[in-house]
């Protein structure tokens, strides 16, 4: 493993700071490692300032450097299609109307609030649903902004869960993170804190830091939702990151996004779900790709998602089957989708399609 970074000493390679400081951000730097296609060269040039590029050496090391269609490369290297108006005009910068009453706050469900704490990310994923914030530069919420958020929380007594997102919330320094979590914990009606982080995938070295793990554990119950999209992202390092979180009592769940060219293949998805269970990560969601401007070329049909769900059922434990969901535009919520299993009914006899093949009649008298 480690590809072109074999010579980096382990103490640097295992340092999150080193991974962040050595991110690949320019065409010239990236050309040292891969031969860019014209589509990518123009992509990097034309997305500059709009949807910038940053790739950790670790994430780059997961690529097959010879393959322009490599699933890691598709998620990390800009392409010209991101700014092609005829393709992207179907998308909107913010299809979910996320901007709420306070900067960074979205309060869509009565019991849960979403708070985006920074625009910084270790890697700027090309399919990001919040691509609109890339151009704001790398900025984190100030203590004053956190205080305003906490004041809002204190007034909203129905809220049981705070969902921290970004950007990358765990890119906050330890001091800021401790401040944020301890202020949230002052609010008695908040039961759980959920952190949406992609660092287990993009820079798992962050979790090799004992202090971070202790901060998370101190503010328990904290749940982690991460974002593995392809089996190639499951490595010794990402498994170690998850293992360290679990040892500190922090459950790790996963949300995958269905992406054309990356994982829109039933066998790839089955391998991903199996590999997740092996590292004790529970696959919770498979999201249909959102109509986000700049990322719309990753979308597949809904039929493709249903085909994948149908393939998974019966081939992996139930706990390895995520819920396939579409986030409705306009902030109208996430809806689950399932292939049809109940295919007919006559009197009290129901006809089911079995995941093992064939139809089964089931007569069910309800008293
Ligand atoms: C997705 C989302 C949530 C969390 O939904 P879950 O189904 O609990 O994962 C909460 N608030 C907003 C605004 C969201 O977009």
């Amino acid at each position: 493993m480690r590809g072109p970074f074999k010579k980096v000493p382990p103490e640097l390679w295992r340092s999150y700071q080193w991974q962040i400081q050595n991110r690949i951000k320019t065409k010239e730097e990236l050309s040292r490692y891969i031969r860019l296609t014209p589509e990518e060269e123009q992509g990097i040039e034309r997305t500059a300032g709009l949807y910038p590029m940053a790739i950790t050496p670790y994430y780059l090391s997961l690529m097959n450097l010879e393959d322009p269609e490599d699933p890691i490369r598709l998620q990390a290297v800009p392409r010209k299609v991101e700014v092609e108006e005829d393709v992207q005009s179907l998308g909107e910068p913010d299809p979910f109307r996320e901007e709420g009453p306070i900067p960074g706050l979205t309060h869509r469900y009565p019991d849960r609030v979403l708070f985006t704490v920074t625009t910084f990310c270790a890697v700027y994923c090309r399919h990001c649903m919040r691509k609109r914030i890339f151009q704001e530069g790398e900025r984190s919420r100030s203590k004053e902004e956190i205080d305003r958020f906490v004041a809002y929380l204190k007034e909203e007594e129905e809220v049981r869960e705070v969902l921290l997102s970004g950007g990358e919330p765990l890119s906050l320094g330890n001091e800021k993170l401790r401040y944020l979590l301890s202020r949230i914990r002052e609010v008695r009606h908040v039961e759980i804190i959920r952190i949406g982080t992609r660092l287990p995938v993009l820079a798992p070295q962050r979790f090799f830091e004992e202090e971070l793990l202790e901060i998370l554990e101190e503010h328990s119950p904290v749940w982690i939702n991460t974002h593995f999209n392809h089996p190639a992202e499951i490595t010794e390092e990402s498994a170690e990151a998850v293992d360290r979180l679990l040892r500190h009592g922090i459950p790790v769940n996963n949300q995958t996004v269905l992406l054309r060219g990356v994982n829109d293949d039933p066998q790839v998805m089955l391998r991903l779900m199996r590999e997740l269970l092996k590292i004790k990560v529970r696959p919770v969601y498979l999201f249909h790709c959102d109509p986000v401007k700049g990322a719309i070329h990753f979308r597949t049909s809904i039929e493709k998602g249903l085909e994948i769900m149908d393939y998974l059922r019966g081939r992996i434990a139930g706990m390895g089957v995520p819920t396939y969901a579409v986030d409705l535009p306009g902030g109208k919520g996430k809806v689950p989708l399932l292939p049809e299993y109940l295919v007919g009914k006559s009197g009290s006899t129901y006809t089911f399609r079995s995941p093992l093949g064939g139809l089964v009649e089931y007569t069910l008298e309800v008293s």
Side-chain angles (χ1 to χ4, degrees), residues 232-287:
E233 293 167 344
I234 293 165
T235 63
E236 257 175 52
E237 282 109 323
S238 59
E240 179 178 344
V242 170
D243 186 59
R244 284 171 181 260
L245 284 162
L246 295 175
R247 284 175 196 279
H248 283 265
I250 301 148
V252 185
N253 288 319
N254 191 65
Q255 313 186 151
T256 297
V257 181
L258 177 58
L259 299 173
R260 198 164 88 194
V262 174
N263 58 16
D264 59 339
D265 174 327
Q267 292 178 22
V268 168
M269 206 63 96
L270 178 61
R271 266 200 291 137
L272 171 63
M273 301 309 157
R274 284 183 175 158
E275 293 300 318
L276 287 172
L277 291 185
K278 277 162 71 180
I279 64 168
K280 294 185 271 183
V281 172
R282 158 85 164 93
V284 171
Y285 273 129
L286 171 63
F287 284 125

